[in-house]
């Protein structure tokens, strides 16, 4: 962490211990009687706060585990929890952790104010030698003469002399000038430790150690850089991204980005996170088996691009401080990453063979929007584990240099996924020695390694002339440019974002936003006889393995929520409930079927909440099928058959589950997909069922029939249909879906009508002029036409949101590799009253009226296009003037 704020006389759990100039302050006074008095408890306590002990973070036993303050827990007899016990060898000066046998040490041999303290393998280095000063009760480093401190503000690099007089500390110079000066001052010997995510400090520029890896996919999340402790014990947990994608609400995408970044900045400002957050995940959900599809907005390139445009921009930027980034957002995983571990293929060694047509059309658009200066202007990219067309992504100069830094003008930093650089050599076997691996990754554009490969082998690679100092300085320039934009080298007084503190975490406003997001993401798939909303049933049977869950609602990459009531608990706020699990998520045990049926027979209505969880789908874990796990399908059918009242099925999952039997089963009256709806998901489910609002979410992915997985291997990256591939996503799938992308019902009805059905005529030259002007990109798409839709709530009772999706259908749709249709516009209308009409405009660009040929080139498609909204079509003709 860069700094720790002074926290007053009552220091909380998780306050990091650092070296500081000795000044006799209370947070430098230590009671060491526990280690020196016979029979002592071997603790070292803060003298003025005797309940706080020197503690190893996370019960760590590895080199680099950090030391902080934590409530003393001497009554905990678990051998693995003795992380507060120390022995002090007064002869050697070593303070040794009883748990690990490692010695208290200054991080990276630091000798300056703000140096953090960790444990490390014991040696004779003076950085591990300590002595106790009885006069002021301080513990002092023999090497530095500085004191152990648990509450001072660490000086920033440019607060110190003589560094504050150097050009890199001059905020009046350009970032390029400052970074050039900064990098030029770092001796080669100090460079190598800066190339890992857990980067060392550099005494030459007064730079403290820094952890680049913090996570915030849908809220500040558990990760090496984040500490849920002290005054940041929790954070708002928004819905998993698949549920947020189902809202089709760009204002929500932006609001979540802003809220997450505020909480992330609060964590950083109190020393409990870095400022570089590795989110979002922009990979296309191309195959329903993919375990991490839940992390994405869905299967459509346009939806994903609009998500990233709004989420990333609002993560990083605001009018509060136009000079600095609020936090840095890193878009991942570049590129064509969507396989974890399937059929003997591993993400660490998988070669994604992708056509130029599919790259241009599907896999690259969202990344260009993320990092282009005209788009979200994201400041980070993560290259992926997989190879693309034979070249590992982190050694792929075409992707990182030609596309990202070249065509798309990216000016941020590029990190490898964790251990992805070593995968170049040991998994892909693309190189056969560490020198070549460092050379290929660094020259391709990978600036930093999430892992230890660069720090371990760059020095050797330099000595063998495989890399040169210029290559190292170029990478460091990218890294420090981002840190400079984050304000690491600027005065605190010039940075409004530094005023954000822990009171900004899990605010009432953010709790309301989490509930809004969860509500908006509910997708109603079936509602026979308008059984929903339930009409005040006196009692409800709540059945299913996801009925009484909490963490499952967060999906993966989650943090610690401050409150997360289960669906069962939330339903109980509306009516009396009885509960039975029915069955586990996986397994063959049917012993609870009978009890579940009994409860369903006795209740006025039955709510079954089932689906997937992290054991079924997640990072490193693809599904082998898309059917219900375990015996859930049998349980659902059995309970539905014996229920005395209406049956509502709530599906909690990231990836699609084949719902054919549920859709066709007359015993199941309603189906609602919730995704993984976050901390407010339980309440949102209950609110939807009992009519606190009308659902308006739309599916962000296709629900395929179960036999889809038998028609195409997961390793086939092709989007377009072939003899061994029925096509992927709604744009290319030639089969019959169970529920299509964009499907969703409401408690009311809407009509969507064109304002003007007159055929629109556009010369192909108008499209060619834009496509071939040299200024065309996916990000800024000049309008060539506009269509207007009038949306009317034709119901008589419900005020409801509605989502409007508008597609283009080309003259040769579904032929010769062209999409069947493509989304080009969407909007969410809010609280449309019965009888109310709203007019919506959708611009059409040259990009929307183009196709991609086999070489990845965009071309105008001459002929009659159809513009479609909710099945209603109008015609647009692109004609050739010749």
């Amino acid at each position: 962490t860069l700094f720790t704020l002074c926290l007053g006389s009552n220091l909380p759990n998780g306050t990091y211990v650092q070296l500081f100039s000795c000044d006799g302050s209370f947070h430098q006074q230590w009671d060491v009687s526990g280690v020196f008095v016979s029979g002592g408890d071997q603790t070292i306590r803060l003298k003025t706060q005797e309940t706080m002990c020197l503690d190893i973070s996370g019960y760590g036993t590895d080199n680099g585990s950090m030391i902080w303050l934590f409530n003393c827990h001497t009554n905990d007899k678990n051998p693995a929890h003795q992380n507060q016990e120390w022995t002090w060898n007064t002869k050697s000066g070593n303070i040794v952790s009883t748990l690990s046998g490692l010695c208290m040490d200054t991080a990276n041999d630091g000798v300056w104010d703000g140096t953090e303290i960790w444990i490390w393998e014991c040696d004779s280095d003076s950085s591990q030698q300590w002595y106790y000063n009885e006069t002021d009760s301080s513990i002092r480093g023999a090497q530095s003469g500085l004191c152990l401190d648990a509450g001072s503000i660490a000086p920033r690099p440019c607060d110190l002399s003589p560094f504050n007089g150097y050009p890199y500390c001059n905020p009046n110079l350009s970032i390029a000038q400052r970074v050039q000066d900064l990098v030029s001052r770092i001796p080669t010997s100090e460079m190598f430790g800066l190339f890992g995510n857990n980067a060392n400090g550099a005494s030459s520029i007064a730079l403290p150690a820094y952890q680049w890896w913090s996570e915030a996919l849908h809220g500040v999340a558990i990760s090496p850089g984040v500490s849920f402790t002290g005054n940041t014990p929790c954070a708002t947990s928004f819905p998993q991204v698949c549920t947020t994608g189902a809202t089709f609400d760009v204002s929500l995408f932006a609001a979540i980005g802003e809220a997450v970044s505020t909480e992330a900045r609060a964590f950083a400002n109190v020393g409990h996170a870095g400022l570089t957050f590795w989110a979002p995940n922009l990979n296309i959900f191309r195959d329903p088996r993919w375990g991490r599809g839940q992390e994405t907005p869905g299967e459509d390139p346009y939806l994903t691009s609009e998500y990233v445009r709004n989420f990333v921009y609002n993560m990083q930027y605001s009018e509060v401080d136009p000079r600095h980034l609020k936090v840095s957002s890193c878009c991942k995983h570049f590129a064509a990453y969507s396989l974890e571990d399937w059929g003997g293929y591993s993400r660490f060694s998988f070669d994604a063979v992708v056509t130029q047509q599919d790259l241009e059309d599907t896999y690259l658009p969202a990344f260009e929007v993320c990092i282009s200066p005209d788009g979200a202007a994201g400041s980070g990219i993560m290259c992926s584990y997989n190879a693309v067309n034979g070249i590992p992504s982190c050694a792929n100069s075409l992707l990182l240099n030609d596309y990202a830094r070249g065509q798309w003008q990216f000016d941020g930093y590029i990190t490898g996924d964790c251990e992805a650089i070593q995968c170049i050599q040991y998994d892909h076997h693309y190189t056969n020695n560490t020198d070549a691996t460092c050379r290929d990754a660094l020259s391709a554009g990978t600036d930093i390694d999430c892992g230890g490969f660069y720090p371990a082998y760059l020095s050797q690679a330099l000595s063998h002339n495989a890399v040169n100092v210029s290559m190292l300085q170029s990478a460091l320039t990218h890294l420090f440019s981002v840190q400079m934009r984050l304000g690491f080298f600027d005065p605190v007084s010039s940075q409004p974002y530094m005023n954000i503190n822990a009171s900004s975490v899990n605010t009432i406003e953010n709790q309301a936003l989490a509930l809004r997001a969860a509500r908006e993401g509910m997708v109603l798939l079936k509602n026979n006889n308008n059984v929903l909303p339930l009409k005040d049933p006196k009692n409800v049977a709540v059945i299913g393995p996801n009925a009484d869950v909490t963490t499952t609602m967060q999906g993966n990459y989650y943090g610690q929520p401050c409150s997360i009531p289960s669906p069962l608990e939330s339903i109980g706020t509306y009516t009396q409930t009885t509960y039975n699990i029915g069955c586990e998520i996986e397994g063959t045990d049917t012993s609870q079927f009978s009890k579940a049926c009994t409860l369903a027979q006795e209740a006025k209505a039955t709510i079954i909440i089932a689906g997937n969880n992290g054991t079924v789908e997640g990072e490193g874990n693809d599904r082998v099928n898309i059917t219900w796990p375990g015996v859930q399908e049998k349980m659902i059918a059995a309970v539905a058959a014996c229920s005395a009242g209406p049956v509502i099925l709530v599906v909690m999952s990231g990836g699609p589950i084949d719902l054919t039997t549920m859709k066709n089963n007359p015993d199941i009256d309603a189906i609602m997909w919730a995704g993984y709806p976050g901390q407010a998901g339980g309440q949102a489910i209950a609110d939807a069922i009992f009519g606190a609002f009308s659902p308006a979410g739309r599916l962000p992915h296709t629900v395929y029939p179960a036999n889809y997985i038998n028609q195409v291997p997961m390793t086939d990256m092709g989007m377009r249909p072939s003899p061994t591939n029925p096509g992927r996503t709604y744009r290319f799938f030639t089969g019959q879906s169970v529920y299509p992308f964009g499907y969703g019902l409401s408690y009311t009805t809407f009509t969507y009508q064109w304002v003007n059905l007159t055929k629109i005529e556009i010369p192909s030259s108008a499209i060619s002029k834009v496509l071939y002007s040299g200024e065309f990109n996916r990000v800024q798409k000049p309008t060539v036409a506009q269509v207007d839709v009038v949306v009317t709530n034709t119901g008589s009772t419900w005020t409801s949101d509605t989502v409007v999706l508008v597609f283009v259908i080309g003259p040769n749709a579904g032929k010769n590799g062209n999409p069947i249709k493509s989304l080009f516009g969407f909007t969410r209308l809010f609280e449309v009253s019965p009888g109310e009409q709203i007019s919506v405009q959708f611009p059409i660009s040259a990009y929307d009226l183009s196709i991609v040929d086999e070489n990845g080139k965009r071309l105008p498609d001459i002929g009659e296009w159809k513009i479609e909204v909710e099945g209603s079509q109008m015609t647009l003709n692109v004609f050739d003037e010749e």
Side-chain angles (χ1 to χ4, degrees), residues 125-126 645 689 771:
D125 195 283
S126 59
I689 290 172
L771 294 180

PDB file of all heavy atoms in Angstrom, residues 125-126 645 689 771:
ATOM      1  N   ASP A 125      20.965 -10.646   7.590  1.00  0.00           N
ATOM      2  CA  ASP A 125      20.841  -9.283   7.098  1.00  0.00           C
ATOM      3  C   ASP A 125      20.398  -8.354   8.224  1.00  0.00           C
ATOM      4  O   ASP A 125      19.560  -8.713   9.064  1.00  0.00           O
ATOM      5  CB  ASP A 125      19.824  -9.242   5.945  1.00  0.00           C
ATOM      6  CG  ASP A 125      19.920  -7.939   5.162  1.00  0.00           C
ATOM      7  OD1 ASP A 125      19.420  -6.903   5.656  1.00  0.00           O
ATOM      8  OD2 ASP A 125      20.492  -7.977   4.056  1.00  0.00           O
ATOM      9  N   SER A 126      20.933  -7.152   8.234  1.00  0.00           N
ATOM     10  CA  SER A 126      20.609  -6.203   9.309  1.00  0.00           C
ATOM     11  C   SER A 126      19.164  -5.744   9.261  1.00  0.00           C
ATOM     12  O   SER A 126      18.654  -5.204  10.239  1.00  0.00           O
ATOM     13  CB  SER A 126      21.545  -4.993   9.235  1.00  0.00           C
ATOM     14  OG  SER A 126      21.435  -4.339   7.986  1.00  0.00           O
ATOM     15  N   GLY A 645     -50.760 -25.503  -4.848  1.00  0.00           N
ATOM     16  CA  GLY A 645     -50.972 -24.174  -5.409  1.00  0.00           C
ATOM     17  C   GLY A 645     -50.052 -23.928  -6.584  1.00  0.00           C
ATOM     18  O   GLY A 645     -49.376 -24.838  -7.077  1.00  0.00           O
ATOM     19  N   ILE A 689     -41.651 -11.542  -7.113  1.00  0.00           N
ATOM     20  CA  ILE A 689     -42.699 -12.557  -6.956  1.00  0.00           C
ATOM     21  C   ILE A 689     -43.964 -11.970  -6.337  1.00  0.00           C
ATOM     22  O   ILE A 689     -45.086 -12.314  -6.727  1.00  0.00           O
ATOM     23  CB  ILE A 689     -42.164 -13.729  -6.112  1.00  0.00           C
ATOM     24  CG1 ILE A 689     -41.120 -14.517  -6.918  1.00  0.00           C
ATOM     25  CG2 ILE A 689     -43.293 -14.660  -5.663  1.00  0.00           C
ATOM     26  CD1 ILE A 689     -40.393 -15.581  -6.122  1.00  0.00           C
ATOM     27  N   LEU A 771     -16.523   3.894 -44.016  1.00  0.00           N
ATOM     28  CA  LEU A 771     -15.705   2.712 -43.727  1.00  0.00           C
ATOM     29  C   LEU A 771     -14.262   2.881 -44.167  1.00  0.00           C
ATOM     30  O   LEU A 771     -13.337   2.381 -43.521  1.00  0.00           O
ATOM     31  CB  LEU A 771     -16.303   1.485 -44.404  1.00  0.00           C
ATOM     32  CG  LEU A 771     -17.664   0.998 -43.904  1.00  0.00           C
ATOM     33  CD1 LEU A 771     -18.105  -0.221 -44.696  1.00  0.00           C
ATOM     34  CD2 LEU A 771     -17.635   0.671 -42.422  1.00  0.00           C
TER      35      LEU A 771
END
